Amino acid sequence: MSELKFDPKNYRIHGEKNKRLIQKSLVDCGAGRSILIDKEDCIIAGNGVYEQAQELGLKIRIIESDGAELIAIKRTDLKTGDARRKALALADNHTNDTSVFDMEAVMEDFTPNELDLWEFSIDVSSLDIGVESENKETSNNNLYTNKITTPEYLPKNEKPVISDLFDMDKYNELVSKIEISNLSNEDKKFLVCAASRHIVFNYEKIADFYANSDKEVQELMEDSALVIIDFDSAMSKGFVKLTQAIDEQYDIDHEE
């Protein structure tokens, strides 16, 4: 068997805690979920598990599939009521929870529309820009970093309607439940505020709306962090409509 290769662009970041728990799961419960490799022996899913399996010297058995069948692993040493089996079920889910996505890698490979199809949302506050790979675990543990980046959209010349900019369905569902609850008005007020986190913004449409709005709206959108403008980049690409005054000031500042 040729040696397996780690995914050169793994979308998951496996921090020390995640590695520690994966290894504990392998030691305490044995191997559970399989890993997935492509025809070139490069790992598609399970890079973290394979890394820890290598550390422990576990053997690897490869079963070939063309994707038309589901391959199940039968653990012949475990019964439904076994404590070790229960621990494996917990570990299988928890180890996934303790790794994080490499958002920069995801954003490099997928468009916002493609991510929408997978209902994959991005918390821009968790993103870092210009950070070396060895610092990624630290940056992803700090969701309040001041270094942020956003997907770069190419605004069109069409201004979308407001209703296309966001989806209130989940928010409205939560608010309805809160309003008919027996909670105090103070509790309801707090929970309604918290429910706003479930308003889903369509940032591609927001970019279109921004690019076709007047200066006052643009400034308020920037203050709300709905868009973050790299001034020089926006100018060079002609994305942003500037007022005459700003345009003239830019020319003065950039005179040779």
Side-chain angles (χ1 to χ4, degrees):
M1 183 192 78
S2 59
E3 185 174 350
L4 301 187
K5 294 167 285 190
F6 288 102
D7 189 338
K9 200 171 184 181
N10 185 18
Y11 297 127
R12 299 292 287 184
I13 297 173
H14 300 279
E16 290 306 314
K17 177 182 179 181
N18 181 246
K19 292 179 181 178
R20 186 170 64 251
L21 291 175
I22 290 175
Q23 186 162 133
K24 175 177 171 55
S25 173
L26 290 172
V27 171
D28 292 356
C29 310
R33 193 185 299 274
S34 61
I35 67 172
L36 183 64
I37 63 177
D38 61 25
K39 64 188 299 182
E40 296 174 332
D41 294 329
C42 186
I43 298 173
I44 300 172
N47 287 271
V49 173
Y50 178 63
E51 181 182 8
Q52 297 312 307
Q54 278 195 313
E55 294 254 342
L56 297 170
L58 297 186
K59 294 186 296 184
I60 308 291
R61 184 197 306 181
I62 293 179
I63 297 176
E64 297 187 354
S65 168
D66 62 358
E69 60 180 343
L70 178 65
I71 296 175
I73 296 176
K74 185 174 184 177
R75 282 287 299 268
T76 57
D77 60 323
L78 298 179
K79 293 189 295 185
T80 305
D82 289 349
R84 196 174 182 223
R85 183 260 187 204
K86 293 177 182 175
L88 178 57
L90 175 67
D92 180 72
N93 288 285
H94 185 46
T95 51
N96 279 334
D97 294 340
T98 54
S99 65
V100 295
F101 275 99
D102 185 336
M103 292 300 188
E104 291 178 37
V106 171
M107 288 162 56
E108 285 177 6
D109 284 358
F110 296 94
T111 66
N113 284 338
E114 289 173 326
L115 294 177
D116 282 345
L117 293 175
W118 289 101
E119 299 183 30
F120 189 107
S121 60
I122 295 178
D123 178 3
V124 295
S125 67
S126 68
L127 301 180
D128 230 335
I129 188 169
V131 179
E132 298 297 331
S133 58
E134 59 265 29
N135 293 332
K136 282 184 177 178
E137 182 186 349
T138 301
S139 66
N140 276 280
N141 288 332
N142 177 13
L143 298 182
Y144 298 97
T145 175
N146 290 323
K147 298 178 180 178
I148 57 176
T149 186
T150 58
E152 186 175 278
Y153 298 112
L154 302 178
K156 307 177 186 69
N157 291 322
E158 299 175 359
K159 188 175 184 178
V161 296
I162 292 288
S163 59
D164 287 343
L165 305 185
F166 55 94
D167 184 343
M168 298 280 286
D169 288 351
K170 182 64 176 177
Y171 170 81
N172 290 333
E173 180 184 341
L174 285 170
V175 170
S176 295
K177 290 180 180 178
I178 294 167
E179 288 177 343
I180 62 175
S181 71
N182 295 318
L183 299 176
S184 68
N185 288 335
E186 187 176 15
D187 288 345
K188 287 182 179 180
K189 185 177 179 181
F190 165 70
L191 290 172
V192 168
C193 288
S196 64
R197 297 181 305 157
H198 294 279
I199 299 173
V200 179
F201 291 97
N202 184 327
Y203 288 101
E204 187 171 11
K205 294 287 187 183
I206 287 174
D208 292 338
F209 188 86
Y210 175 89
N212 293 283
S213 294
D214 59 33
K215 181 174 178 291
E216 183 178 14
V217 174
Q218 288 182 340
E219 288 181 344
L220 289 171
M221 291 179 73
E222 292 169 22
D223 290 345
S224 301
L226 284 169
V227 293
I228 298 173
I229 296 301
D230 178 327
F231 184 76
D232 288 324
S233 176
M235 281 293 295
S236 65
K237 296 175 181 176
F239 290 168
V240 184
K241 292 198 306 185
L242 299 175
T243 65
Q244 185 65 32
I246 296 177
D247 208 352
E248 290 174 355
Q249 186 61 49
Y250 179 84
D251 290 336
I252 293 172
D253 292 343
H254 291 76
E255 279 183 0
E256 295 183 356

